[in-house]
């Protein structure tokens, strides 16, 4: 059997030290296969964003192991890690993290250009990603010429550009109305069906219902997993954790 796209083994993460130490994640074991769409739910402060940043190699685990497509991140130097991230991981940040001095098209093309893809090809791919998210008409706008919802969609286009195998999205529909939110979920679901491993942090049971599996975090631990996320009672029971 091939390696899972994402594997966390006994991962813990602390922030701060001494009396100020916070343990954001405690002994997380998680394995996500190609084509699998996993939703992560849990109250504010339960460790959802920490889990995603560690899974994407943006932050390191305090202990335990993270592997992407069989490569242990702990064994990589900074350059190797950056390269793996650009090639393998699409990331939608809660605060978008777009470059204000670039247009929408340039923002979306950036990860590919950084990875050495020629400008023409990178922009072609970026145009396709903008089309898939339904904002190709905004390609030449700068970030301060776009609404929050439009910027959020640029961030999503940047995360899906090219053929990356792991897509991590931290509440990617927060700034969108429910119609646009649903259309983004449709894109994420399609990506998973095409073989990408997708991890979505969401507060909305309606969005988690698109996933193959739902993980519930509380105080940094996985407290439950609903294999059949389409059973609404499972989700409702957790809506108030
Ligand atoms: P969630 O995304 O579920 O709201 P987070 O992963 O952001 O949760 O945070 C989990 C815990 O870790 C919280 O107690 C939060 O305050 C703490 N935390 C997260 N990031 C940092 C940081 N950079 N420095 C200190 N504490 C942090
Ligand atoms: Mg968060």
């Amino acid at each position: 059997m091939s390696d899972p796209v994402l594997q966390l083994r006994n991962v813990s993460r602390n922030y701060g030290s001494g009396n100020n130490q916070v343990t954001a994640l405690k002994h997380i074991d998680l394995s996500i296969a190609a084509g699998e769409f996993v939703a992560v739910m849990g109250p504010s402060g339960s460790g959802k964003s920490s889990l995603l940043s560690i899974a994407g190699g943006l932050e390191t685990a305090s202990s335990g192991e993270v592997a992407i497509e069989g490569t242990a991140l702990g064994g990589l130097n900074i350059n190797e890690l950056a390269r793996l991230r650009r090639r393998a991981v699409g990331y939608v940040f809660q605060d978008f993290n777009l470059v204000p001095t670039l247009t929408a098209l340039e923002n979306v093309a950036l990860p590919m250009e950084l990875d050495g893809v020629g400008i023409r090809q990178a922009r072609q791919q970026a145009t396709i990603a903008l089309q898939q998210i339904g904002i190709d008409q905004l390609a030449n706008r700068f970030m301060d010429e776009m609404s929050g919802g439009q910027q959020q969609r640029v961030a999503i286009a940047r995360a899906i550009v090219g053929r990356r195998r792991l897509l991590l999205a931290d509440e990617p529909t927060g700034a969108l109305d429910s119609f646009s939110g649903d259309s983004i979920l449709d894109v994420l679901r399609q990506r998973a069906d095409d073989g990408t491993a997708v991890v979505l942090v969401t507060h909305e049971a309606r969005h988690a219902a698109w996933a193959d599996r739902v993980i519930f975090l509380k105080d940094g631990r996985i407290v439950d997993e609903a294999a059949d996320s389409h059973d609404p009672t499972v989700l409702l029971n957790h809506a108030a954790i």
Side-chain angles (χ1 to χ4, degrees), residues 6 11 19 33 40 82 86 97 120 140 156 170 214 221 234 239:
L6 174 66
V11 165
N19 287 339
V40 179
R86 284 199 304 267
N97 235 358
R120 261 177 68 105
N140 296 318
I156 294 161
D170 199 349
V214 187
R221 291 183 194 276
V234 176

Side-chain angles (χ1 to χ4, degrees), residues 48-67:
K48 303 180 299 294
S49 294
S50 303
L51 176 68
L52 233 59
S53 346
I54 287 171
L58 298 163
E59 287 182 26
T60 53
S62 302
S63 61
E65 264 184 36
V66 181

Side-chain angles (χ1 to χ4, degrees), residues 5 7 9 13 40 49 62 70 80 84 95 106 150 162 190-191 208 210 233:
V5 176
Q7 185 146 43
R9 281 191 218 97
R13 169 72 204 207
V40 179
S49 294
S62 302
E80 291 167 336
L84 177 87
D95 56 2
E106 289 164 347
Q150 288 168 337
Q190 242 174 296
R191 284 282 145 157
W210 292 69
T233 57

